[in-house]
């Protein structure tokens, strides 16, 4: 049953791997093949062995830029066996509940109902809350790993898995799965990396390490220039990475310093990693969202606008070819709107009027192409923010559940508004979402009263 379901989920347009087995064949013949494939998968797991052909891949170099100049300008895309991917998904479904209690609470990847938006919301909430205090600054270290998934040490991971409660047969299979193969293009590698890094964490009132698979960031909440805990946490993480054979790319690791004080120092002493002074940047693209040292959304809006314009061109071209109606709307939702509203929950309440107008202008252009009315940024942002804060209230495992739970009133369904000293915090996600939630509660009460 599980094998059949996974086969039916295979996307038929995906290219075949080295074994030449077509994705269309597997999906269309799921009922006929599920029995024999289930037998093969169980045999592989019981023996703790992965067929060598399933470990190999066809690597296709894809240019990162329109005019690639050298090998570093290409991104390797690995075409692996669809049979192997199906087995990996089955193993992943089995592993997740087994190791859930062992995962880092601040690991935002592979958690049910938690994703990119949650990681950014958490980072910004902690930063903006701290910046309410006088004499406060925030330093954020964004780490970059060199070939993160390929540097996993199989035997080290096997020991960590068994400590997490994974049985010997499964850990032995994973050991063989990781041996003598590159890890890019695989289904399991990102999740295994989260397990590999789960035994190191930093979570204190003044400093924390948050992760999204291999994207790691240390956030230091500094008062009166005392950054000792932040620096020590960074050095401890670097030492742990060396002990676990993870390679930090110091050249691509960047630091963002947020300091709104009037009398701030003219220079900031950079953190030294592996003999390299980490570059302090004005903006950084974290999980696809552009953050800057002013914690405004100017850089992010520029990026969204540029991407939206290029996708809008494709929408117009499709219409010129005669595509219209539901198909054109589907293209807008999946290709254009997905770009314009990327992580909208994080920034919709904090946009300046001019930034909001720029994005709404794109939406109006798309609306004229489609011939129907589309919701502007404010409406989409409010709707998703309301859904997000509702999920935060219900999801106990979410790192921000405590923050929302503290705001729940004992007298009504409404939430208490967080105390906001600065406008930038008042316009951030949590205070804005609380106002939306309370407004929604009032509307529901009025509606029920009118019905009665």
């Amino acid at each position: 049953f599980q094998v059949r379901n996974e086969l039916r989920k295979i996307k038929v347009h995906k290219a075949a791997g080295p074994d030449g087995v077509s994705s269309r064949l597997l999906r269309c013949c799921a009922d006929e093949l599920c029995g024999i494939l289930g037998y093969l998968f169980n045999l592989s797991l019981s023996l703790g062995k992965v067929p060598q052909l399933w470990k190999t891949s066809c690597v296709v170099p894809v240019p990162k830029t329109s005019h690639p100049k050298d090998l570093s300008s290409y991104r390797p895309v690995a075409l692996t066996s669809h049979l192997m991917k199906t087995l990996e998904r089955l193993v992943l479904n089995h592993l997740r509940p087994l190791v859930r209690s062992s995962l880092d609470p601040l690991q935002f990847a592979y958690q049910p109902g938690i994703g990119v938006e949650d990681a950014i919301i958490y980072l910004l909430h902690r930063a903006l809350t701290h910046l309410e205090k006088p004499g406060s600054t925030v330093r954020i270290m964004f780490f970059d790993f060199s070939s993160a998934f390929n540097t996993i040490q199989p035997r080290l991971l096997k020991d960590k898995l068994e400590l997490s409660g994974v049985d010997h047969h499964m850990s032995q299979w994973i050991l063989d799965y990781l041996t003598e193969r590159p890890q890019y293009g695989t289904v399991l590698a990102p999740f295994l990396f989260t397990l590999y890094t789960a035994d190191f964490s930093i979570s204190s009132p003044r400093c924390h390490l948050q992760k999204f698979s291999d994207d790691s960031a240390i956030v230091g909440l500094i008062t009166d220039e005392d950054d000792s805990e932040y620096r020590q946490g960074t050095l401890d993480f670097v030492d742990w990475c060396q002990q676990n054979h993870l390679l930090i790319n110091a050249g691509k690791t960047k630091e963002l310093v947020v300091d709104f004080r009037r009398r701030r120092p003219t220079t900031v002493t950079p953190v030294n990693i592996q003999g390299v002074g980490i570059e302090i940047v004005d903006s950084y693209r974290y999980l696809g969202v552009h953050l800057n040292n002013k914690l405004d959304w100017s850089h992010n809006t520029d990026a969204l606008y540029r991407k939206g314009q290029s996708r809008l061109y494709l929408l117009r071209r499709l219409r010129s070819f005669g595509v219209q109606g539901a198909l054109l709307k589907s293209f807008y939702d999946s290709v254009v709107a997905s770009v314009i509203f990327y992580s909208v929950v994080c920034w919709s309440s904090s946009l300046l009027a001019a930034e909001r107008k720029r994005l709404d202008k794109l939406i109006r252009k798309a609306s004229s192409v489609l011939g129907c009315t589309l919701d502007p940024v404010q409406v989409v942002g409010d709707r998703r923010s309301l859904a997000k804060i509702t999920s935060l209230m219900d999801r106990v495992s979410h790192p921000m559940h405590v923050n929302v739970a503290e705001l729940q009133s004992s007298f009504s369904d409404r939430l208490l508004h967080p105390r906001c000293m600065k406008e930038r915090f008042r316009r951030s996600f949590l205070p804005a979402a609380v106002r939306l939630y309370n407004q929604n509660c009032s509307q529901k009460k009025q509606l029920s009263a009118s019905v009665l």
Side-chain angles (χ1 to χ4, degrees):
F1 178 74
Q2 292 176 332
V3 175
R4 183 189 295 114
N5 283 347
E6 288 301 327
L7 291 175
R8 287 174 176 172
K9 294 177 185 176
I10 294 176
K11 297 178 180 178
V12 295
H13 65 275
K14 295 289 185 179
D19 57 5
V21 178
S22 163
S23 57
R24 186 179 296 275
L25 171 70
L26 293 175
R27 178 165 176 169
C28 294
C29 301
D31 293 334
E32 292 79 9
L33 293 174
C34 63
I36 184 62
L37 290 180
Y39 173 78
L40 288 175
F41 293 163
N42 285 323
L43 184 62
S44 172
L45 292 168
S46 62
L47 295 175
K49 295 291 183 181
V50 178
Q52 191 60 41
L53 183 60
W54 289 3
K55 292 184 181 183
T56 58
S57 59
C58 300
V59 179
V60 179
V62 176
K64 296 180 182 178
T65 61
S66 54
H67 301 288
K69 296 180 180 179
D70 50 32
L71 291 177
S72 62
S73 301
Y74 291 88
R75 179 181 290 106
V77 174
L79 304 178
T80 54
S81 167
H82 289 293
L83 294 174
M84 186 66 229
K85 287 180 181 178
T86 303
L87 177 53
E88 286 180 81
R89 291 189 187 98
L90 291 167
V91 171
L92 183 59
N93 293 338
H94 176 73
L95 270 180
R96 276 179 176 169
L98 279 179
V99 300
R100 186 167 295 159
S101 60
S102 302
L103 290 175
D104 186 344
L106 295 183
Q107 171 61 261
F108 289 86
Y110 296 103
Q111 301 276 21
I114 299 176
V116 169
E117 289 181 337
D118 302 272
I120 297 168
I121 286 170
Y122 183 77
L123 187 154
L124 291 175
H125 179 73
R126 289 210 63 183
L128 290 169
T129 304
H130 178 69
L131 290 168
E132 292 278 282
K133 305 170 186 175
S136 60
T137 59
V138 174
R139 298 182 70 167
I140 310 170
M141 185 70 69
F142 298 102
F143 289 92
D144 184 88
F145 292 102
S146 298
S147 301
F149 303 149
N150 286 328
T151 53
I152 294 175
Q153 299 298 304
R155 294 200 175 276
L156 263 179
L157 177 62
K158 181 177 181 291
D159 294 339
K160 294 182 181 186
L161 287 172
E162 291 182 351
L163 285 173
S164 300
V166 178
D167 63 81
H168 176 73
H169 285 92
M170 178 61 73
S171 61
Q172 186 62 40
W173 183 89
I174 291 174
L175 174 63
D176 188 73
Y177 162 84
L178 291 171
T179 305
E180 298 179 359
R181 67 170 300 174
Q183 293 308 311
Y184 47 78
T186 63
V187 174
L188 266 179
F191 184 71
L192 293 178
F193 187 85
T194 67
L195 296 175
Y196 192 71
T197 58
D199 58 344
F200 184 89
S201 63
I202 303 173
S203 182
S204 75
R206 297 176 59 187
C207 186
H208 78 268
L209 167 66
Q210 65 178 71
K211 310 166 189 171
F212 193 94
S213 191
D214 62 325
D215 288 297
S216 301
I218 291 182
V219 182
L221 309 178
I222 298 159
T223 304
D224 298 329
E225 306 294 336
D226 182 12
D227 60 357
S228 56
E229 186 173 344
Y230 166 72
R231 287 180 178 273
Q232 188 59 50
T234 302
L235 295 177
D236 289 345
F237 182 58
V238 172
D239 290 342
W240 179 89
C241 289
Q242 290 176 341
Q243 293 167 12
N244 287 267
H245 307 279
L246 295 178
L247 305 177
I248 294 177
N249 188 337
K252 290 186 177 180
T253 297
K254 305 297 179 184
E255 185 180 20
L256 196 68
V257 179
V258 183
D259 190 349
F260 295 123
R261 294 175 299 172
R262 292 181 180 178
R263 296 181 180 179
R264 56 189 176 197
T266 54
T267 58
V268 178
T269 306
V271 177
N272 191 286
I273 295 178
Q274 300 171 351
V276 178
I278 300 303
E279 181 186 1
I280 297 174
V281 295
D282 293 334
S283 66
Y284 186 83
R285 187 171 180 263
Y286 177 59
L287 302 178
V289 175
H290 294 261
L291 304 176
N292 63 23
N293 56 6
K294 297 178 182 177
L295 292 187
D296 62 27
W297 297 103
S298 55
H299 290 79
N300 192 64
T301 303
D302 289 342
L304 293 178
Y305 188 79
R306 287 194 301 270
K307 277 189 178 181
Q309 277 189 316
S310 63
R311 302 293 175 90
L312 197 58
Y313 168 77
L314 299 176
L315 188 71
R316 290 194 181 103
R317 291 291 291 170
L318 274 181
R319 191 187 65 171
S320 70
F321 294 145
V323 178
Q324 54 186 336
L327 185 58
L328 197 61
K329 179 63 166 60
S330 177
F331 181 85
Y332 166 79
D333 291 334
S334 58
V335 177
V336 184
S338 62
V339 166
I340 298 175
F341 298 120
Y342 181 76
S343 295
V344 65
V345 169
C346 307
W347 48 262
S348 64
S349 60
S350 304
L351 280 185
L352 298 178
E355 295 167 345
R356 195 181 306 279
K357 285 180 180 178
R358 287 184 72 193
L359 296 179
D360 283 342
K361 184 179 178 181
L362 279 180
I363 296 170
R364 286 195 300 272
K365 289 180 179 178
S367 178
S368 65
V369 174
L370 293 171
C372 64
T373 304
L374 299 172
D375 291 334
V377 170
Q378 183 74 52
V379 173
V380 175
D382 288 354
R383 183 170 63 242
R384 296 188 187 179
S385 295
L386 185 58
K388 177 61 69 176
I389 195 169
T390 304
S391 72
L392 292 181
M393 295 169 66
D394 299 334
R395 199 171 298 280
V396 180
S397 61
H398 196 288
M400 281 192 67
H401 173 77
V402 176
N403 302 97
V404 180
E406 290 174 347
L407 302 176
Q408 290 183 309
S409 171
S410 56
F411 302 102
S412 68
D413 295 334
R414 295 167 64 88
L415 296 174
L416 304 175
H417 195 280
R419 184 181 179 185
C420 303
M421 303 290 291
K422 306 288 176 60
E423 180 66 12
R424 58 176 169 264
F425 180 48
R426 195 189 74 82
R427 296 174 64 214
S428 65
F429 164 74
L430 187 58
V434 166
R435 293 193 294 272
L436 284 171
Y437 183 84
N438 290 339
Q439 182 182 354
N440 187 59
C441 287
S442 299
Q443 290 174 352
K444 285 182 178 179
K445 281 188 177 181
Q446 290 175 3
L447 183 62
S448 60
S450 63
V451 170
L452 293 174

